Amino acid sequence: MKTDMDGCDFPAVENHAEHIILTEWNSLPNSFETMKRFAVALLTLFGSSYSCESLFSHMNFIQSSTRNRLSSDMSAACVKLKTTDYQPRIIRLAEKMQQQVSH
């Protein structure tokens, strides 16, 4: 592990730099409120643009010419499923299902 001059342990240089940036950011007085708002708006601009482009790409895939009969509710549900971080535990779900029994 890396350490700074004060002997604090940091797992990586990036974490140390992030710590310094956040410390300095939080130490700014309230008189810099406008500058803070501008910086937040500027820094979030690129992430939100990527999110919008990604969402439109998913929507184009879902609302393709072969699936043009989806209702708006169904389309919204498909978009939510496509853009969520939810990871189902398939093995656990499968264990709870009853196997098909031969007649």
Side-chain angles (χ1 to χ4, degrees), residues 55 58-59 62 72-86:
L55 179 63
H58 291 309
M59 286 174 55
I62 291 167
S72 59
D73 291 341
M74 187 61 85
S75 294
C78 289
V79 168
K80 285 181 184 178
L81 284 173
K82 186 71 175 167
T83 57
T84 185
D85 291 333
Y86 174 70

Side-chain angles (χ1 to χ4, degrees), residues 41-90:
L42 185 66
L43 292 172
T44 57
L45 178 70
F46 303 107
S48 62
S49 296
Y50 170 79
S51 296
C52 288
E53 291 295 327
S54 178
L55 179 63
F56 281 120
S57 177
H58 291 309
M59 286 174 55
N60 285 334
F61 177 75
I62 291 167
Q63 288 285 119
S64 65
S65 59
T66 57
R67 290 192 239 170
N68 60 359
R69 301 183 104 187
L70 289 175
S71 67
S72 59
D73 291 341
M74 187 61 85
S75 294
C78 289
V79 168
K80 285 181 184 178
L81 284 173
K82 186 71 175 167
T83 57
T84 185
D85 291 333
Y86 174 70
Q87 295 290 324
R89 291 179 247 166
I90 302 294

